[in-house]
Amino acid sequence: NLAFRINGAYATADSYRDMVSSERFYLNPSLEWMIDDKSTLTVEMDYLDDTRTPDMGTVNLAEISENAIYDMPHDVFLGFENDYSDTRNATYSARLNRKLSGKLDLRAAFYYSHLHLEEEAASLGRVVQVNDEPMYHMRTRGYSASNRKDDNSVLQLDLVGDEIRTGGLTHTFQVGADYRTNSYSTFTQTVGTVDQINIYEPIDHSLPNNLDFGPAQVASADTRAFGLVAQNVTTFNPWLKTFLGIRYSHTKTTTDVEETSNDAVNPLVGIILSPLRNVNVFGSYTNSSYPRTSALLDVNGKELGSERFDQLEAGIKTNWLDSRLRFNLTLFKINNKDINLPVYDENWVETGFYQKGGNDERKG
């Protein structure tokens, strides 16, 4: 009644370019405990540490509109010797499944994740001018230091019913609730110009000690979200099924300057026809909301609200030769409506305000 598994990986690599390398460490242990014949508890951890050297690549030896990419030798590196990018991500989960009967399950799950991104790296700046002539092989070089921390948690409870009969109908359903939290903070400091380099000459990779960093740019936010969901698949007969679902969510976001809240109701509806035992024809409509940008303000200081996604899908799924051969065809159309777009002034400089507009349509 007890099982343990551990997966792990370690990888280190040099690049074709000198001074560029990477190192990754991954660990994934999991433990499952069958408490009794009706209850199972599974706990798991997922950890990744990824450190690598940011590589700016090469340069264009002409105006941006022209293609004059320099075939830079592999032993030329444009950054500094201490440039690095580090990603550390840890996820923990605990899932409990309790059978209430042969057709009813109660499921509870808790997830927590921590993400830490840290980077210090050079950046290429403007083309150096000599006697008002651009020297495309000479560039200024800047430097930046940044980090981001994310903490996320989810608590989810679900009641799942499998093939529950009411009269001549059969239902498979899920009723659930979830509570989510997200907290993040960012920090960035930059030096506009450290030095200038000539890609045809040896490049100094040592970083000066007296860097004059600009003011730090910091941001943080805390988000709390509560959701209720219900969905049901109804089987009328061997050739007809329908599925209906609805989700309500309430999101509250707190930043350094304001607190905003948002409510969304998202439906799901679809139908499945099975003219033959191994052929299913289906169609569905799904609506979802993206609340992360809902607090953005228009020119009148009014919140824009959530962006909206609509998805239409139709297709056919078949299986033959006892499921050894499958043929599927799906057509879809996804619209991101009422996108929160930045507002620019007459010189195409962002004003800091936003407006509703646009329709990002994807078909396939």
Side-chain angles (χ1 to χ4, degrees):
N1 60 0
L2 192 66
F4 177 74
R5 181 190 66 198
I6 183 167
N7 296 322
Y10 175 78
T12 181
D14 291 324
S15 168
Y16 65 90
R17 189 174 308 287
D18 285 3
M19 300 185 66
V20 176
S21 62
S22 64
E23 185 177 39
R24 305 182 73 192
F25 172 72
Y26 173 76
L27 189 65
N28 170 224
S30 60
L31 175 72
E32 185 166 274
W33 176 28
M34 297 181 63
I35 303 171
D36 53 38
D37 59 350
K38 295 183 178 180
S39 304
T40 302
L41 175 66
T42 305
V43 293
E44 191 168 10
M45 183 189 81
D46 197 270
Y47 177 78
L48 171 68
D49 190 329
D50 186 321
T51 302
R52 59 188 60 236
T53 309
D55 181 13
M56 290 184 289
T58 184
V59 298
N60 193 33
L61 297 176
E63 295 288 344
I64 296 178
S65 58
E66 300 180 36
N67 185 357
I69 302 298
Y70 175 47
D71 186 10
M72 196 164 65
H74 294 169
D75 61 352
V76 178
F77 175 60
L78 302 182
F80 296 105
E81 60 187 0
N82 60 325
D83 289 358
Y84 76 95
S85 176
D86 190 14
T87 299
R88 292 189 295 274
N89 189 17
T91 302
Y92 308 90
S93 67
R95 304 186 302 275
L96 177 66
N97 187 20
R98 171 72 177 178
K99 284 189 171 297
L100 302 180
S101 69
K103 296 181 179 296
L104 282 176
D105 284 4
L106 181 62
R107 300 175 183 176
F110 177 76
Y111 302 88
Y112 171 78
S113 68
H114 174 75
L115 173 67
H116 185 195
L117 307 176
E118 188 172 323
E119 181 172 298
E120 293 188 12
S123 60
L124 287 183
R126 67 182 186 279
V127 175
V128 175
Q129 301 278 334
V130 177
N131 297 325
D132 295 329
E133 289 291 329
M135 299 290 105
Y136 294 106
H137 62 286
M138 299 176 64
R139 303 294 176 97
T140 62
R141 195 164 51 164
Y143 196 74
S144 65
S146 64
N147 67 66
R148 178 185 177 109
K149 294 182 179 179
D150 272 274
D151 289 284
N152 301 273
S153 66
V154 179
L155 175 63
Q156 186 169 343
L157 298 172
D158 290 299
L159 178 65
V160 178
D162 184 28
E163 296 187 351
I164 305 295
R165 295 191 63 85
T166 59
L169 305 180
T170 303
H171 304 273
T172 296
F173 68 86
Q174 173 197 1
V175 179
D178 55 77
Y179 180 71
R180 303 168 184 265
T181 68
N182 168 257
S183 177
Y184 81 88
S185 62
T186 62
F187 172 91
T188 304
Q189 271 190 309
T190 61
V191 179
T193 301
V194 175
D195 57 11
Q196 66 181 41
I197 58 175
N198 184 334
I199 62 173
Y200 297 145
E201 298 178 354
I203 295 175
D204 185 5
H205 300 296
S206 59
L207 186 68
N209 295 323
N210 56 344
L211 293 180
D212 184 17
F213 281 97
Q217 299 179 355
V218 297
S220 62
D222 289 290
T223 300
R224 301 289 183 269
F226 173 73
L228 296 172
V229 63
Q231 51 189 355
N232 177 60
V233 178
T234 303
T235 301
F236 292 86
N237 51 51
W239 55 269
L240 176 61
K241 292 181 180 180
T242 61
F243 50 96
L244 297 171
I246 190 168
R247 176 179 174 83
Y248 164 77
S249 57
H250 173 77
T251 304
K252 179 185 290 186
T253 301
T254 304
T255 66
D256 296 335
V257 296
E258 62 183 348
E259 182 177 282
T260 60
S261 60
N262 181 267
D263 294 276
V265 177
N266 303 117
L268 163 68
V269 61
I271 187 172
I272 302 173
L273 300 174
S274 304
L276 300 174
R277 183 178 179 182
N278 56 338
V279 176
N280 294 316
V281 181
F282 67 93
S284 68
Y285 165 76
T286 308
N287 168 270
S288 59
S289 302
Y290 183 71
R292 285 277 180 107
T293 61
S294 63
L296 296 176
L297 304 178
D298 64 13
V299 293
N300 298 316
K302 183 180 179 181
E303 293 180 12
L304 291 178
S306 298
E307 299 181 17
R308 172 179 161 179
F309 293 82
D310 293 284
Q311 178 171 332
L312 289 169
E313 195 171 31
I316 181 172
K317 295 189 176 184
T318 68
N319 68 82
W320 311 87
L321 305 176
D322 291 330
S323 296
R324 291 193 296 271
L325 174 65
R326 298 180 182 180
F327 173 76
N328 303 326
L329 175 65
T330 303
L331 305 175
F332 66 88
K333 179 180 178 182
I334 304 173
N335 287 88
N336 181 3
K337 298 181 179 179
D338 298 328
I339 305 173
N340 296 336
L341 301 171
V343 176
Y344 298 88
D345 62 17
E346 63 275 6
N347 297 316
W348 286 101
V349 177
E350 290 192 27
T351 63
F353 296 104
Y354 293 79
Q355 64 182 355
K356 287 288 187 182
N359 177 27
D360 179 10
E361 181 176 284
R362 308 176 190 186
K363 296 184 291 188

